[in-house]
């Protein structure tokens, strides 16, 4: 295994925080039936994508 075999650092933090926010927003929207929670879901997805894109750039386009 190489040292870059799994995401670490800020990239992992962004990806996991985004996923957690999206799941929390999905749960809140389901429980409360309020459509305003979809903005939290969208923001969580956006943050998660940013984390994975930054991780991909660190690997120079996916080269492992």
């Amino acid at each position: 295994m190489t040292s870059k075999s799994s995401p670490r650092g800020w990239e992992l933090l962004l990806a996991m925080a985004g996923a957690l926010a999206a799941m929390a927003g999905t749960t809140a929207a389901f429980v409360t039936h309020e459509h305003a929670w979809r903005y939290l879901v969208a923001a969580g997805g956006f943050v998660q994508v940013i984390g994975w894109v930054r991780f991909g750039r660190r690997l120079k386009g996916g080269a492992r």
Side-chain angles (χ1 to χ4, degrees):
M1 287 190 139
T2 65
S3 63
K4 294 184 180 181
S5 63
S6 64
R8 293 188 182 141
W10 291 106
E11 295 87 1
L12 179 61
L13 180 67
L14 283 175
M16 292 300 109
L20 222 128
M23 287 189 303
T26 301
T27 303
F30 180 73
V31 170
T32 63
H33 301 291
E34 291 288 330
H35 294 290
W37 289 107
R38 64 184 171 183
Y39 297 114
L40 179 61
V41 175
F46 182 69
V47 169
Q48 187 176 10
V49 166
I50 288 174
W52 286 116
V53 167
R54 288 185 55 88
F55 175 69
R57 283 188 185 161
R58 187 172 64 136
L59 288 180
K60 297 182 176 116
R64 295 185 190 249

